[in-house]
Amino acid sequence: MAMNGSAAEYLSLSLSLDAADYDPVQHLNLLFSHPSTVSAIRRVSATLQSEQNGLSAQIAARQTAQAYGPDSSLERMQSAQAELGELFRKIETVRARAIQTEQNITAMTADIKRLDGTKRNLTLSMTALKRLQMLTTAYEQLRGLARARQYRECASLLQAVLQLMRHFNSYRSIDQIATLSRGVGEIQRELLEQVCEDFEMAFAKGEVGARKATLVEACGVMDALGDTARSRLVTWYVNTELREYRQVFRGNDEAGSLDNIGRRYAWFKRMMKGYEEEHASIFPPHWRVGETLAMAFCDGTRDDYKGILEKSMRRVDGAKIDVNLLLSCLQETMDFEQSVERRFSSEPRASIDTLSSADERTQSFNGSISVAFEPYLSLWVESQDKALAAMIPKYKAQPLLPADDEFSPQAVISSAIELFHFYKLTLSQCAKLSTSERLLDLARTLAKYLDEYAQQVLLAILQRPGQTAASVQDIILVLNTADFWHTNTGQLEENIKKRIDGELVSKVDLTSQADAFLGVASTAVLALVNKVEADCDGAWREMKNTNWSKMESVGDQSSYVGELVSHVNARAEEILAIVVKPQYARAFADNLVEHIANTYIANIVQCRPVSEVGAEQMLLDKYVLTKAFENLLSYHNPSSSDPSHPPSASFVRRVNSTMTRIDPLLKTLQVRPSPPEGLVQAYLIHVGDRSDTNFKKILELKGVRKADQPHLVELFGIHRDAAPSTGGSKLVAQSPLLTPLLNTSGLGSSGLVGGFNQAAAAAAATPVRFDPTSLGEKLLSAARDGVERMGTPSQLGGGGPIQGAAGGNGSAVSGGAGAQNAASINENLRNFGKFFRRDIAISGLGARFGKRDVSGSGASGAE
């Protein structure tokens, strides 16, 4: 019963197989909803198979009925093919009828076409005969008019003959036409020779005025004869007019010399005046005979000058061309060229409706003669080189400011202004003479003496020894002048690039000269720093005289600190008050703090042994100095000392960063040597390097006895090589603070000073005044060593006053030792300028070092 029930249930749902959304899973779940219905699977499958077979039979029956029924697809296809065949037959019939129609029409119109061809040929024959008749008549008339020299009628008739003759060019194979063509050519030659003869006779006999009308009409004939005939007549006229000029100035050495160059141009002006008064009205304006005459004069004169100059350069007596005469002749020639150019460029053109108005001038008179002088402008460049070579020693000897001028913070050395104006005038003059290789040669000469001025004048002022040492005002003048030339060197380069030929622009480069002046500016800043350091010797002496090993307690700041701050502030106030530009004030303050920090470290070495209390007192003193130095820039801008205007954040960070370098040393010295592990751990934490030598330096500074040092060094090695968890793997090989601090050979009682602070320690031990003679040498040595920032231990040392021990070298440099030595100094000045620019950029001033501002001194850039 269950099975029958399942079959009945299936039959009841069989219609659902036709549903569009039929779900077989749902249907199966409905058929086999209970385990007992599983036995009906066979019957259900048989029923489904039977249903499928029935559907297949229905489909096959319907396909057969569709294929073979009375309205089947096969019949429709056959019917369509039959209709297409009928259509093609009809098309072919239409095409055959069209061809037949075309043949009938052609046969009907053949006679008409023959008549049309006959009419066209008859018209052409009549036209040709008429033109031939006109040509023959005009030819006969032209021959008669030519013999009678009736040039006005000849001109118009000749144009008609030539125009008619062009129609018969294709008929020259006919004997009569060929004969007529030769006759026309012959009469053209006769007219050409006849007109030229008339001109020659009129000019030879001086009958130009009397026969002017005939000559004017003859020019019309030459116009009709074409460009070749016109060119022949103009060339003859130009040679005739210039014959006297060539005879006078080429056949006479005195008249043709450069001394008489003015006579050439005066002769040309007289000749052009005569042309305009007597001959200009003869020639048609569009011939531009006056311009052709002027250009021929220029070409001949240029060739004359080339020969004269070449002959002068080959003189056996060795005498060269006088440069002043050469420039005078060149200037007069350029003035002449410009006057001729203005004269012919302003001539009125024909109407814009005429063809001749489109023929613009293709030649220019500018440079047409003066180009002969250009190869010899090197003599002028050499004269400028000699003039500059004579100026440099004069600038070295003369005072920085005129006697009647007072010092001002914006002032520039007077020789710089004089040199600037000389450069400006020379560049302007050369740009008028040449914009090619000679201007490039001048640019190289100017660059050469910018280097000479930076080295032999400005740097020499900073290197003056002894009693003649540069004062603060002198250094400020050098600083302002270096900044003035640093700015104007860039403007000079741009100005040259604007004037020189395009293919030479890439060869103009004054960057190294600008860097050299920036190097001088940086040297001047450090010279100001050393002026301050020289006043601090007493304070440093007091610091070294303090017994830091016996200090019992930490009190207020040490007495030397107040004196040091007082001296620094007083001197900085004096200097910053006359430093105009903020970037130089900032550079001065940065380097002053850097040098004092280095000197402080050097004096810690001089104060050994230092007890734990002494190190703590030094750390307090360092903190006081740091806070005092944060306000250094307030002396440059007094309004910033107002509490409402705090110091620059970047400068405060720079001061703290510089002074904090001392902390690892002092914090390590604060730790007692007992227990020894504490000192070792303090060294590893604060100093953080793996060097036994540097650790021994700390022991030496603390005054640890020699007998106790091996045990501490051994303990240091154990902790240094400890597991990474103790920090041993993070240690550096050599501490940049301690490595240059002491020589290993100086660990005894006598040897203390070494490395970068040797000069500072010597200055502190023996009170001597600052000698700037050695400043340049030490700065250049620092540049050679590849310093990364000014004032670092690898560069200049302890920041104390630089001594005159190297004064001999400085004097040798300023006195002009050798070309190689001078080149080395210039190169190092440039490198030092680059370092100084980078130092300023790192300081965060936000402006390119040396940029001009409203407070800057000096004149504007070279024009």
Side-chain angles (χ1 to χ4, degrees), residues 561-580:
V561 174
E563 182 181 355
L564 179 64
V565 171
S566 175
H567 284 301
V568 169
N569 287 343
R571 197 65 160 166
E573 181 177 10
E574 174 193 353
I575 292 173
L576 290 174
I578 55 177
V579 174
V580 176

Side-chain angles (χ1 to χ4, degrees), residues 185-205:
E186 183 64 28
I187 198 171
Q188 285 181 272
R189 288 189 290 274
E190 290 177 1
L191 281 172
L192 174 60
E193 296 299 331
Q194 186 173 301
V195 170
C196 290
E197 181 181 354
D198 288 347
F199 268 89
E200 291 174 2
M201 294 299 295
F203 276 81
K205 296 180 179 181

Side-chain angles (χ1 to χ4, degrees), residues 244-562:
E244 178 187 354
Y245 171 75
R246 292 163 181 165
Q247 291 174 350
V248 171
F249 292 98
R250 287 184 181 173
N252 190 322
D253 291 341
E254 181 180 355
S257 65
L258 294 179
D259 294 328
N260 293 318
I261 192 171
R263 292 179 56 189
R264 291 176 178 265
Y265 302 139
W267 185 95
F268 174 80
K269 292 177 181 178
R270 291 195 302 270
M271 185 265 294
M272 288 302 297
K273 182 179 180 181
Y275 162 77
E276 291 176 350
E277 292 177 353
E278 301 177 8
H279 303 158
S281 58
I282 297 176
F283 303 101
H286 65 273
W287 284 19
R288 307 189 69 84
V289 174
E291 186 173 338
T292 305
L293 184 61
M295 185 54 69
F297 172 84
C298 293
D299 292 342
T301 304
R302 180 184 64 247
D303 295 339
D304 289 349
Y305 288 167
K306 286 183 178 179
I308 293 171
L309 292 170
E310 289 176 1
K311 187 184 298 183
S312 299
M313 294 299 293
R314 295 196 300 265
R315 291 176 60 176
V316 296
D317 56 3
K320 291 187 178 181
I321 303 173
D322 183 15
V323 175
N324 293 329
L325 175 61
L326 181 69
L327 290 182
S328 175
C329 294
L330 180 55
Q331 188 61 53
E332 190 171 355
T333 299
M334 294 173 64
D335 293 341
F336 170 76
E337 291 173 344
Q338 292 174 4
S339 66
V340 176
E341 177 69 19
R342 287 193 302 268
R343 176 174 185 168
F344 290 105
S345 63
S346 61
E347 284 188 358
R349 296 289 191 270
S351 169
I352 60 174
D353 297 327
T354 63
L355 182 62
S356 60
S357 63
D359 184 19
E360 297 293 339
R361 292 176 60 235
T362 59
Q363 55 190 3
S364 173
F365 289 95
N366 289 328
S368 57
I369 302 176
S370 56
V371 68
F373 291 90
E374 185 162 340
Y376 306 94
L377 283 179
S378 57
L379 299 176
W380 177 76
V381 176
E382 292 175 3
S383 70
Q384 303 307 306
D385 187 297
K386 294 177 181 178
L388 286 167
M391 293 165 67
I392 296 299
K394 183 184 73 172
Y395 290 158
K396 291 176 63 177
Q398 72 182 30
L400 303 187
L401 291 177
D404 54 347
D405 284 0
E406 295 183 357
F407 171 82
S408 69
Q410 296 86 8
V412 175
I413 297 175
S414 59
S415 62
I417 303 298
E418 181 180 342
L419 183 64
F420 170 78
H421 287 300
F422 180 86
Y423 271 35
K424 180 179 178 181
L425 178 63
T426 304
L427 176 60
S428 176
Q429 188 176 9
C430 185
K432 293 178 182 178
L433 304 178
S434 172
T435 58
S436 57
E437 290 289 343
R438 301 291 80 78
L439 183 55
L440 181 62
D441 293 342
L442 179 66
R444 291 168 177 165
T445 299
L446 299 182
K448 169 186 174 183
Y449 285 98
L450 285 176
D451 285 334
E452 293 290 327
Y453 187 81
Q455 174 192 340
Q456 297 189 25
V457 179
L458 299 184
L459 191 60
I461 295 172
L462 301 177
Q463 294 177 331
R464 289 175 182 171
Q467 298 296 325
T468 61
S471 64
V472 172
Q473 291 186 353
D474 291 344
I475 297 173
I476 293 295
L477 287 174
V478 172
L479 178 62
N480 291 343
T481 304
D483 174 68
F484 168 82
W485 270 117
H486 173 259
T487 301
N488 282 291
T489 298
Q491 295 178 1
L492 177 66
E493 177 182 338
E494 292 302 319
N495 207 295
I496 295 174
K497 287 182 176 180
K498 289 178 182 178
R499 297 171 184 240
I500 202 167
D501 293 343
E503 64 272 13
L504 300 177
V505 169
S506 60
K507 297 182 180 180
V508 179
D509 185 11
L510 301 181
T511 304
S512 61
Q513 284 70 36
D515 288 337
F517 282 111
L518 196 57
V520 173
S522 64
T523 306
V525 168
L526 293 180
L528 293 173
V529 169
N530 281 276
K531 287 290 185 183
V532 179
E533 289 187 317
D535 288 349
C536 298
D537 286 348
W540 295 126
R541 193 179 305 110
E542 183 178 351
M543 176 185 179
K544 289 181 288 185
N545 290 336
T546 302
N547 191 345
W548 297 95
S549 63
K550 302 298 183 181
M551 193 168 290
E552 297 179 355
S553 62
V554 178
D556 199 357
Q557 67 184 43
S558 302
S559 58
Y560 78 90
V561 174

Side-chain angles (χ1 to χ4, degrees), residues 613-771:
V613 177
E616 188 174 354
Q617 181 64 49
M618 287 182 176
L619 195 60
L620 175 62
D621 295 343
K622 190 271 310 181
Y623 176 79
V624 175
L625 291 175
T626 301
K627 290 302 178 184
F629 294 157
E630 289 177 358
N631 296 314
L632 277 177
L633 283 180
S634 63
Y635 297 119
H636 180 255
N637 185 10
S639 62
S640 64
S641 60
D642 189 342
S644 61
H645 295 82
S648 167
S650 63
F651 179 67
V652 172
R653 287 194 300 270
R654 177 70 178 264
V655 171
N656 282 276
S657 174
T658 301
M659 298 299 290
T660 303
R661 291 192 295 109
I662 309 173
D663 289 358
L665 175 60
L666 294 178
K667 288 181 180 180
T668 305
L669 294 177
Q670 280 183 286
V671 180
R672 297 179 181 276
S674 179
E677 289 82 0
L679 178 59
V680 171
Q681 288 295 335
Y683 180 88
L684 294 174
I685 292 172
H686 297 304
V687 178
D689 76 358
R690 307 174 62 85
S691 172
D692 290 344
T693 302
N694 288 344
F695 183 69
K696 291 178 182 179
K697 294 176 183 178
I698 293 294
L699 301 180
E700 187 74 19
L701 290 175
K702 289 184 66 63
V704 177
R705 294 180 303 171
K706 292 287 186 180
D708 297 334
Q709 288 186 14
H711 172 66
L712 289 170
V713 172
E714 181 181 359
L715 190 62
F716 168 72
I718 294 173
H719 283 271
R720 176 192 61 197
D721 300 331
S725 59
T726 63
S729 61
K730 300 179 182 179
L731 302 178
V732 298
Q734 298 281 344
S735 168
L737 175 66
L738 293 181
T739 299
L741 194 60
L742 291 171
N743 286 331
T744 54
S745 61
L747 294 178
S749 59
S750 59
L752 294 175
V753 183
F756 72 93
N757 53 9
Q758 182 176 3
T766 305
V768 294
R769 63 177 301 174
F770 164 58
D771 183 0

Side-chain angles (χ1 to χ4, degrees), residues 91-351:
I91 292 173
E92 185 64 26
T93 301
V94 171
R95 190 173 73 85
R97 290 178 180 177
I99 293 173
Q100 183 62 39
T101 301
E102 182 181 3
Q103 291 174 352
N104 294 337
I105 293 174
T106 301
M108 294 169 61
T109 59
D111 294 337
I112 298 175
K113 288 183 178 180
R114 283 195 296 272
L115 290 174
D116 286 342
T118 303
K119 179 181 177 181
R120 183 170 56 254
N121 293 335
L122 182 59
T123 302
L124 291 175
S125 299
M126 294 175 63
T127 302
L129 288 173
K130 185 176 180 180
R131 288 175 175 170
L132 181 59
Q133 181 183 5
M134 295 171 58
L135 176 60
T136 305
T137 304
Y139 172 72
E140 294 298 332
Q141 292 178 354
L142 181 60
R143 290 179 63 86
L145 293 173
R147 284 194 294 269
R149 282 181 164 77
Q150 298 180 15
Y151 293 130
R152 182 188 299 274
E153 293 79 5
C154 278
S156 57
L157 195 57
L158 178 60
Q159 290 179 351
V161 168
L162 294 177
Q163 186 174 0
L164 288 170
M165 195 65 223
R166 280 195 291 270
H167 293 290
F168 293 95
N169 286 337
S170 58
Y171 302 108
R172 289 187 177 180
S173 58
I174 302 173
D175 294 340
Q176 291 79 359
I177 300 298
T179 302
L180 184 59
S181 177
R182 287 193 295 272
V184 172
E186 183 64 28
I187 198 171
Q188 285 181 272
R189 288 189 290 274
E190 290 177 1
L191 281 172
L192 174 60
E193 296 299 331
Q194 186 173 301
V195 170
C196 290
E197 181 181 354
D198 288 347
F199 268 89
E200 291 174 2
M201 294 299 295
F203 276 81
K205 296 180 179 181
E207 299 175 354
V208 175
R211 302 180 61 180
K212 181 176 293 186
T214 302
L215 298 179
V216 171
E217 295 173 356
C219 288
V221 174
M222 301 300 275
D223 246 346
L225 288 174
D227 293 340
T228 303
R230 182 170 61 242
S231 176
R232 174 178 170 180
L233 180 59
V234 172
T235 301
W236 170 84
Y237 174 76
V238 168
N239 291 333
T240 300
E241 291 296 293
L242 294 180
R243 185 180 298 115
E244 178 187 354
Y245 171 75
R246 292 163 181 165
Q247 291 174 350
V248 171
F249 292 98
R250 287 184 181 173
N252 190 322
D253 291 341
E254 181 180 355
S257 65
L258 294 179
D259 294 328
N260 293 318
I261 192 171
R263 292 179 56 189
R264 291 176 178 265
Y265 302 139
W267 185 95
F268 174 80
K269 292 177 181 178
R270 291 195 302 270
M271 185 265 294
M272 288 302 297
K273 182 179 180 181
Y275 162 77
E276 291 176 350
E277 292 177 353
E278 301 177 8
H279 303 158
S281 58
I282 297 176
F283 303 101
H286 65 273
W287 284 19
R288 307 189 69 84
V289 174
E291 186 173 338
T292 305
L293 184 61
M295 185 54 69
F297 172 84
C298 293
D299 292 342
T301 304
R302 180 184 64 247
D303 295 339
D304 289 349
Y305 288 167
K306 286 183 178 179
I308 293 171
L309 292 170
E310 289 176 1
K311 187 184 298 183
S312 299
M313 294 299 293
R314 295 196 300 265
R315 291 176 60 176
V316 296
D317 56 3
K320 291 187 178 181
I321 303 173
D322 183 15
V323 175
N324 293 329
L325 175 61
L326 181 69
L327 290 182
S328 175
C329 294
L330 180 55
Q331 188 61 53
E332 190 171 355
T333 299
M334 294 173 64
D335 293 341
F336 170 76
E337 291 173 344
Q338 292 174 4
S339 66
V340 176
E341 177 69 19
R342 287 193 302 268
R343 176 174 185 168
F344 290 105
S345 63
S346 61
E347 284 188 358
R349 296 289 191 270
S351 169

